[in-house]
Amino acid sequence: MRTATYLLPHPEKFKEDVMLASEIWRPILYGKIEQIAKQIDESNFEKLTDIYENLFKSHLMDGAVSHSKDIPYLTKISTKTRFYRWKKVIKKQLANTNKNVRENIEKCIYSDNYNYGRPLVGTIKKNQINIECLDEVYFALEISKILQSTNIEEIVFIGDGAGLLAPLIIEINNSVNSNKANRYIIIDFAHFALATILRIREKLRKNIEVMSPSQLEKTENNDEEVKGLPFCEGTRLIINQDSFPEMNKSSLYAYITPKAHATYIASYNQNILSKVHNDHIKIMKDCKYKQVSKIKSKMRRNYSILVFKETKSYKKE
């Protein structure tokens, strides 16, 4: 069994990750990663604390959330209007959900850990919650069906951004598989991975592993072969929301190439792609995955939740 770790690579390695991002994200990511790398390298924990305690006002989460300190007033109204529209959808979804799962989701989204970083807030049952989270709740409820019907040994989160989905899935999995010690892998750029760790810090156990993209992929200045995900002895579930189409093709292949006895992929991404996006659905089919379900999103236009499955048995190299 692999030994899990919560350590990120040396700060100098953070910048290698940028070269693995698609070109449209490199300029944005470089500044954010350089900022965090500098504070970690200088052990400036006071500055890091200030950045993450004001996470949604620091611009660090650009690309992962829709607001910051200088969000325009009209955008703020639009965002809150969207929240109350989404809340109606989620209310119906939760009403038809297993009571134990529903209670654990509500417990999670109302918790202090889940709502750190001074986010914009909305209200559910007179409790304030992060205004960004309802789309993640919607996706998590669909993933809960997989967790309840399939024996999953390992869950991989690819690009969880501000870390709003991973805590929900861990909470749901603990509620439906309370007697099982699943393994978790979090793959993301350093500043996003730290945000996720902070949200799940009360749940951290030795079975949660954090990896950066450069640990799995080949960079332009690296002649080593692409390693991809480590081998999983059982069934693996790979989860992605909002970033598969924006990845380089080589990155996507590195993340989803099956290396388990059975692999599922749960994808919540847009259907209509532009010239700068990759055809992530075709890539999944090229990797011999078969689509087993498709749900048109009730939250966002032209988005769907897709579940793919690959069942070929792989031997550990």
Side-chain angles (χ1 to χ4, degrees), residues 138-139 142 267-268 293-297 303-307:
Y138 180 72
F139 188 24
E142 293 301 326
S267 165
Y268 186 14
S293 69
K294 179 178 180 178
I295 299 171
K296 185 178 179 181
S297 176
Y303 273 71
S304 294
I305 295 175
L306 304 175
V307 176

Side-chain angles (χ1 to χ4, degrees), residues 92-108 125 141 144 148 171-172 174-176:
K92 291 181 180 179
Q93 297 286 106
L94 287 173
N96 296 317
T97 301
N98 174 290
K99 181 181 178 182
N100 191 30
V101 171
R102 180 174 66 249
E103 289 177 348
N104 277 278
I105 286 176
E106 291 177 347
K107 175 184 174 183
C108 181
K125 294 183 179 179
L141 287 170
S144 73
Q148 292 178 72
E171 196 69 62
I172 291 170
N174 287 342
S175 68
V176 300

Side-chain angles (χ1 to χ4, degrees), residues 147 150-154 173-174 176-184 205 207 234-235:
L147 298 176
T150 308
N151 187 26
I152 302 292
E153 275 76 29
E154 182 177 273
N173 199 39
N174 287 342
V176 300
N177 295 306
S178 58
N179 297 322
K180 189 174 181 181
N182 287 91
R183 296 188 301 275
Y184 299 95
R205 290 177 284 184
N207 59 347
T235 301

Side-chain angles (χ1 to χ4, degrees), residues 183-229:
R183 296 188 301 275
Y184 299 95
I185 296 178
I186 298 165
I187 302 169
D188 217 331
F189 298 104
H191 60 304
F192 289 142
L194 286 171
T196 302
I197 292 168
L198 287 170
R199 291 197 200 283
I200 62 174
R201 59 187 183 272
E202 290 183 344
K203 305 176 186 7
L204 275 179
R205 290 177 284 184
K206 64 180 181 180
N207 59 347
I208 298 180
E209 185 172 0
V210 179
M211 304 182 77
S212 73
S214 59
Q215 289 177 273
L216 303 178
E217 302 177 52
K218 179 180 178 180
T219 60
E220 292 179 1
N221 298 321
N222 186 356
D223 292 329
E224 294 182 6
E225 292 296 318
V226 175
K227 296 179 180 178
L229 285 168

